[in-house]
Amino acid sequence: MLDYPWSSIAGGYALPPRKRAKWLAADSGLKAFELPDTTAGRRRMIERLDRRALSEELKQCGVPPQNAGADARGSHLRRGWFWGTQAFGEAMRKLAGNSIKKRQPRSRNYQGEPHVAAHGMQQAEAWLEQGLGAAGLTRSGLAELKGSDIRKLLLADLLWRRTTASQAWLAERLAMKSAANVCQQLRRLNRNKALTQATPAFQAFFKNCTSS
């Protein structure tokens, strides 16, 4: 248990009172096992937890078993979420290369099932086409516009927030250089101010999409 530093055991229960966080009610936890908050009591609690961890069957804990020859330094986890921007996630995937699966966790609040993602991309394609028309733009003309063009940014903002489109996809479709650039531009965007500079047709399109 002490080998795992991100728990309340190594960073709390194993430490004397003066060295652990004041908010951690370790004494109450120890009392639940009828153990004193002393060096011996804390040691007994850790030993108890170690025995429990060794005796539990992995399949009952929700942990998939690893092959005997697997590198213990690697994680057994294959699904989950990352905390950060889409650009950060894509940068980490590039560093990992082929060591991770193609299907990756997403940082937004929707399920990653294939049928949900497919529907989201269909919506993204449809709204992109409609938005370009409402903004008076064509796909072929996007490359001639700056990445900071208000019409591009409003479309990127809409599709990023309301569909499953990635920032890499937005960068490619809207000619905005890279996912990192899309991320940076969206962080700077003042949506309400930008909308006042859009055409009435685009404002109506944007409002219709965000109210659906």
Side-chain angles (χ1 to χ4, degrees):
M1 297 300 295
L2 293 179
D3 291 335
Y4 187 74
W6 299 282
S7 75
S8 59
I9 302 302
Y13 281 92
L15 303 175
R18 68 180 182 279
K19 290 187 178 182
R20 58 187 178 230
K22 294 180 179 180
W23 51 261
L24 181 63
D27 55 336
S28 297
L30 288 162
K31 286 179 181 178
F33 293 98
E34 299 183 350
L35 296 172
D37 192 358
T38 61
T39 300
R42 293 190 291 271
R43 184 186 303 115
R44 287 173 58 191
M45 181 174 186
I46 294 168
E47 291 172 349
R48 178 192 180 112
L49 292 173
D50 277 337
R51 289 195 300 271
R52 175 74 179 272
L54 291 173
S55 65
E56 289 281 0
E57 295 183 16
L58 290 179
K59 63 182 181 180
Q60 292 181 350
C61 302
V63 178
Q66 289 182 286
N67 296 327
D71 188 342
R73 295 171 298 175
S75 172
H76 58 268
L77 301 178
R78 293 295 179 268
R79 299 181 65 182
W81 303 81
F82 63 81
W83 181 264
T85 65
Q86 188 73 18
F88 166 77
E90 288 165 3
M92 292 302 100
R93 285 195 284 276
K94 286 181 181 179
L95 288 175
N98 296 325
S99 64
I100 55 177
K101 296 181 179 180
K102 290 183 178 180
R103 182 181 176 185
Q104 301 299 335
R106 303 295 296 270
S107 61
R108 284 179 279 175
N109 294 326
Y110 55 78
Q111 296 298 319
E113 285 77 7
H115 70 280
V116 176
H119 174 76
M121 293 312 300
Q122 290 174 2
Q123 183 70 81
E125 290 283 6
W127 278 355
L128 175 60
E129 198 66 36
Q130 295 169 24
L132 290 173
L137 300 174
T138 62
R139 287 180 185 258
S140 59
L142 287 172
E144 300 175 5
L145 301 174
K146 293 182 178 180
S148 58
D149 185 274
I150 290 299
R151 295 165 293 181
K152 281 187 177 184
L153 294 181
L154 286 172
L155 270 173
D157 175 66
L158 171 68
L159 300 178
W160 171 243
R161 291 188 300 113
R162 305 287 291 186
T163 75
T164 58
S166 70
Q167 290 179 347
W169 185 91
L170 293 171
E172 179 186 356
R173 292 295 198 278
L174 293 170
M176 292 180 69
K177 296 183 180 179
S178 67
N181 181 52
V182 173
C183 179
Q184 183 180 53
Q185 294 285 359
L186 291 182
R187 282 205 307 267
R188 295 175 177 175
L189 177 65
N190 184 324
R191 189 180 308 118
N192 293 332
K193 182 179 179 180
L195 279 171
T196 64
Q197 302 174 42
T199 63
F202 189 87
Q203 290 178 11
F205 158 75
F206 197 94
K207 182 178 180 180
N208 180 63
C209 292
T210 54
S211 62
S212 61

